[in-house]
Amino acid sequence: MSTKPSVLFVCVHNAGRSQMAAGFLSALAGEAIEVRSAGSAPGDAVNPAAVAAMAEVGIDISDQTPKILTTDAVEASDVVITMGCGDTCPIFPGKSYRDWVLEDPAGKGVEAVRPIRDQIKARIEELIAELVPDATEAENPA
């Protein structure tokens, strides 16, 4: 029995980049990958411009709320992707850590968030291809 990979997205406020990344991964990978997101200093709400930018591509993240980064969340994840949270993420042996350098969408309008959203989508597509290389074959058996 194989267990599905799990990914944790971490940014400071868990209100923009990590929420968009989690939204894309959930939408594009379906049940193939377990998705979590958290922040080292979570904001009060998800960035409205991030919600609007994701809605433009058919993904609703309006029901999400920023969550505090916990040691348990890191420990339960196979891949931890940080987005500008610096050294606040706990390190566990055996985890794959990646740092995605992306502009912070905080305080920006939807026009400025769109290119960040598009960069995140491209990285998510690469991540899915790496973690679940046979996902497209499994969905469309010959």
Side-chain angles (χ1 to χ4, degrees):
M1 179 179 140
S2 68
T3 57
K4 63 182 172 181
S6 59
V7 176
L8 170 65
F9 296 102
V10 183
C11 66
V12 176
H13 300 298
N14 188 221
R17 294 166 289 192
S18 57
Q19 292 285 359
M20 288 191 287
F24 272 126
L25 188 55
S26 294
L28 300 175
E31 296 294 315
I33 299 174
E34 188 176 354
V35 182
R36 298 180 181 88
S37 72
S40 52
D44 296 327
V46 175
N47 179 336
V51 172
M54 292 299 284
E56 289 178 352
V57 294
I59 298 174
D60 182 7
I61 61 169
S62 63
D63 62 341
Q64 298 300 309
T65 54
K67 295 168 277 306
I68 186 72
L69 176 64
T70 65
T71 302
D72 290 345
V74 176
E75 204 166 16
S77 301
D78 299 312
V79 178
V80 179
I81 298 175
T82 57
M83 303 173 178
C85 66
D87 299 326
T88 59
C89 194
I91 303 293
F92 288 95
K95 305 294 174 195
S96 173
Y97 291 91
R98 299 148 194 220
D99 186 42
W100 288 0
V101 179
L102 296 158
E103 190 177 344
D104 188 348
K108 294 179 170 48
V110 71
E111 300 80 18
V113 174
R114 282 184 193 120
I116 301 167
R117 173 201 66 200
D118 296 344
Q119 289 174 18
I120 291 171
K121 181 180 182 198
R123 291 179 188 215
I124 292 298
E125 289 169 339
E126 291 171 9
L127 182 67
I128 293 169
E130 174 191 337
L131 295 178
V132 193
D134 55 351
T136 52
E137 294 162 22
E139 290 171 15
N140 305 309

